[in-house]
Amino acid sequence: MENATNEFDPLLLDNQLCFPLYACSRKVVNMYTPYFQPLGITYTQYIVLLVLWETDGVSVRELGQRLYLDSGTLTPLLKKMEEAGFVTRERSTEDGRVVLVHLTEKGKALRHDAEQIPLRLGGCLPLTTEEAKLLHSLLHRLLEADTTM
């Protein structure tokens, strides 16, 4: 957006790319909440479960990398999931510094209850299949970009 002198103002909210990304992320996560409440999980716990349903027994470090979460966020999250009976954490027998996360039977069984969630939510977004694929691709491109300075 331009101001009265036709100059681009980098500090207008409407000129920020980060804001619609943030607001959309919050909106989509909030759309999941009614589906997660009966399962007793949060969105962040759900994405941990997605990784574990894909590959059980991953390291905390690997989980953090896959989910773009630091250990300060992941450790208390995993502790809560362990207390709820969804996962166990144990030190690797090969390297005691590595903590592995495994699904419990309760965590494995939760997969069945969660299977319909993506299908139900996909219909809530006002995007065509092509638009959704393009957005997915662009978001992953942003995530994978080396943005360190």
Side-chain angles (χ1 to χ4, degrees):
M1 192 174 268
E2 296 177 11
N3 59 24
T5 62
N6 290 333
E7 292 180 26
F8 177 79
D9 187 343
L11 295 180
L12 288 177
L13 182 63
D14 286 343
N15 290 341
Q16 307 302 309
L17 179 58
C18 60
F19 178 69
L21 285 170
Y22 162 78
C24 283
S25 174
R26 286 181 39 91
K27 187 174 184 176
V28 170
V29 168
N30 285 338
M31 290 169 62
Y32 276 90
T33 301
Y35 298 100
F36 293 152
Q37 286 176 336
L39 304 179
I41 60 173
T42 64
Y43 179 80
T44 314
Q45 292 172 336
Y46 173 68
I47 62 175
V48 167
L49 289 166
L50 288 175
V51 172
L52 295 172
W53 290 329
E54 209 175 293
T55 308
D56 195 6
V58 300
S59 70
V60 172
R61 182 173 187 257
E62 191 177 342
L63 266 175
Q65 289 172 338
R66 286 281 315 270
L67 300 175
Y68 301 94
L69 295 174
D70 60 40
S71 63
T73 301
L74 203 48
T75 300
L77 175 69
L78 292 171
K79 183 178 181 187
K80 285 182 183 177
M81 292 181 75
E82 191 169 33
E83 290 169 356
F86 298 126
V87 300
T88 59
R89 294 177 295 165
E90 59 187 44
R91 298 234 173 247
S92 168
T93 55
E94 296 171 10
D95 184 346
R97 298 170 295 177
V98 175
V99 175
L100 300 174
V101 182
H102 293 275
L103 288 165
T104 62
E105 288 306 314
K106 183 178 177 181
K108 290 175 186 175
L110 198 59
R111 186 182 198 286
H112 175 73
D113 296 329
E115 281 179 334
Q116 295 302 313
I117 293 173
L119 298 173
R120 289 183 184 149
L121 281 166
C124 296
L125 300 176
L127 299 173
T128 65
T129 301
E130 293 77 26
E131 289 170 332
K133 287 178 181 178
L134 176 60
L135 179 60
H136 184 268
S137 173
L138 291 170
L139 291 172
H140 274 281
R141 194 162 115 205
L142 287 174
L143 284 171
E144 293 163 7
D146 182 10
T147 57
T148 56
M149 294 186 186

